[in-house]
Amino acid sequence: MWFIFTLVSIFSWGAADLFYKKGSDPKDPYSHLRIVMMVGLVMGIHAFWTILFTDISYDPMNIIRYLPVSSMYILSMTIGYIGLRYIELSVSSPVMNSSGAIASLLTFIFLGQVMTGLQFFAVAIISVGILLLSILEKREADLDRMRHKEKIDRKYQIGALAIILPILYAVIDGVGTFSDAFILDKVMSENQANTSYELTFLICAILSGIYLIGIKKQKFNLFEERTKGYAALFETFGQFFYVYAIAGNAIIVTPLISCYSIVSVILSRIFLKEKLTRTQYLVIAGIMVGIFILGFE
């Protein structure tokens, strides 16, 4: 079942990425906080529903126990939200999701989990493919703009900040995923961990709201944030299945889940009117081969 849970998370988070990008306004320096507020609100509602209407027996102290993991996840996601103001989704998502390779390497080294030779080869295909996709996207985008003598929009310029943010996301999220595998194996169940994460995100949403509305005096209308709300719904749905997937087979799920960037790239082409080159299709095909090997090996 871990493979099915992983696929659900992949498609859910790919859709969430699309709405994150659509909800990121380069003219609004607080758009990332607005996203945090919406995601935290939806996750908080789901957390309380889980506690009140399911048979889970939740220990509030798990918020503290899970804080090292949830804080890294939330920090990396917030950094990702900021980065989407300056970089194309089809570039940002593959770079950020190289975190799966980082987490897989950490579980291999420190947790003693093993892979077969074929699985190791599949992880290599996925990791290299994700990096190649990012490189190809940047090169083709720049060549296309040069051919058409187009001025590069500020939010798509690949400066130092735009490159550093996805890399920071990848490193922090990779360490968080590695820590997640350890805690789910040694400390608490999947439901306890997911509920703790959602409640922590709710706390961050409340703090963001206090800062945005109370201190910075910014307007926030819940009904005008539908795009961010859709992103939050897909994010929460994917997270629910993710914790079960990683508990089932962490060393394989961590690189596999990174492939949701492929869904992000495809959706960005369809709905943001961007294009894929033949080489990019070949890279995506290679990554799908890696997914097939990991799922059925």
Side-chain angles (χ1 to χ4, degrees):
M1 291 298 294
W2 65 265
F3 185 62
I4 295 176
F5 294 154
T6 302
L7 290 179
V8 173
S9 293
I10 286 173
F11 286 103
S12 296
W13 284 345
D17 263 3
L18 174 67
F19 288 108
Y20 284 142
K21 179 60 181 177
K22 290 174 69 68
S24 297
D25 184 358
K27 298 180 181 179
D28 180 8
Y30 305 109
S31 65
H32 61 289
L33 294 181
R34 298 179 190 277
I35 296 175
V36 169
M37 290 171 65
M38 293 301 296
V39 174
L41 176 62
V42 174
M43 285 194 174
I45 292 173
H46 181 258
F48 281 110
W49 179 87
T50 301
I51 295 171
L52 296 174
F53 298 105
T54 67
D55 58 359
I56 182 176
S57 179
Y58 183 71
D59 180 3
M61 283 302 297
N62 280 334
I63 295 179
I64 305 300
R65 298 187 185 103
Y66 199 65
L67 188 60
V69 176
S70 57
S71 60
M72 283 185 281
Y73 280 153
I74 295 170
L75 175 60
S76 65
M77 290 176 68
T78 304
I79 290 173
Y81 301 152
I82 297 172
L84 284 174
R85 296 207 303 264
Y86 307 104
I87 191 170
E88 291 170 313
L89 172 60
S90 51
V91 175
S92 177
S93 187
V95 172
M96 291 191 298
N97 285 287
S98 62
S99 62
I102 296 173
S104 184
L105 182 61
L106 291 173
T107 58
F108 180 75
I109 295 173
F110 294 105
L111 297 186
Q113 298 192 29
V114 297
M115 290 186 291
T116 66
L118 188 57
Q119 288 173 330
F120 187 81
F121 176 69
V123 169
I125 291 176
I126 292 171
S127 301
V128 172
I130 288 172
L131 291 176
L132 280 176
L133 189 62
S134 176
I135 294 169
L136 289 169
E137 168 61 27
K138 171 63 170 62
R139 187 187 68 182
E140 293 298 328
D142 286 350
L143 287 174
D144 186 65
R145 291 184 181 108
M146 289 176 63
R147 283 193 295 265
H148 293 85
K149 297 181 180 180
E150 296 176 359
K151 181 180 178 181
I152 300 177
D153 192 285
R154 178 177 176 273
K155 71 176 180 178
Y156 292 140
Q157 288 179 340
I158 313 298
L161 180 63
I163 290 296
I164 288 172
L165 291 175
I167 292 174
L168 281 176
Y169 175 101
V171 173
I172 297 171
D173 187 71
V175 175
T177 303
F178 162 72
S179 304
D180 208 4
F182 175 79
I183 288 181
L184 290 175
D185 184 51
K186 306 291 185 181
V187 180
M188 67 183 70
S189 68
E190 297 90 339
N191 273 324
Q192 295 284 333
N194 190 53
T195 302
S196 300
Y197 171 68
E198 291 180 332
L199 290 174
T200 304
F201 220 128
L202 175 61
I203 294 171
C204 291
I206 294 171
L207 294 176
S208 297
I210 292 173
Y211 177 78
L212 183 68
I213 301 171
I215 298 177
K216 290 298 182 179
K217 309 301 181 182
Q218 298 292 308
K219 294 181 179 180
F220 182 84
N221 188 328
L222 187 66
F223 298 101
E224 294 179 355
E225 305 292 347
R226 290 189 182 88
T227 300
K228 299 177 180 66
Y230 296 146
L233 289 171
F234 279 112
E235 181 70 42
T236 304
F237 192 69
Q239 178 64 30
F240 176 78
F241 286 95
Y242 165 74
V243 292
Y244 291 100
I246 197 172
N249 198 340
I251 197 169
I252 303 302
V253 168
T254 47
L256 186 59
I257 206 76
S258 299
C259 290
Y260 81 78
S261 61
I262 305 304
V263 178
S264 302
V265 170
I266 293 172
L267 292 179
S268 70
R269 295 306 192 270
I270 296 173
F271 295 102
L272 301 180
K273 307 305 180 183
E274 299 174 350
K275 293 185 288 185
L276 281 173
T277 66
R278 181 179 301 177
T279 306
Q280 288 170 321
Y281 278 119
L282 290 175
V283 173
I284 289 175
I287 292 174
M288 295 306 294
V289 169
I291 293 175
F292 181 83
I293 293 173
L294 291 180
F296 296 98
E297 165 63 8

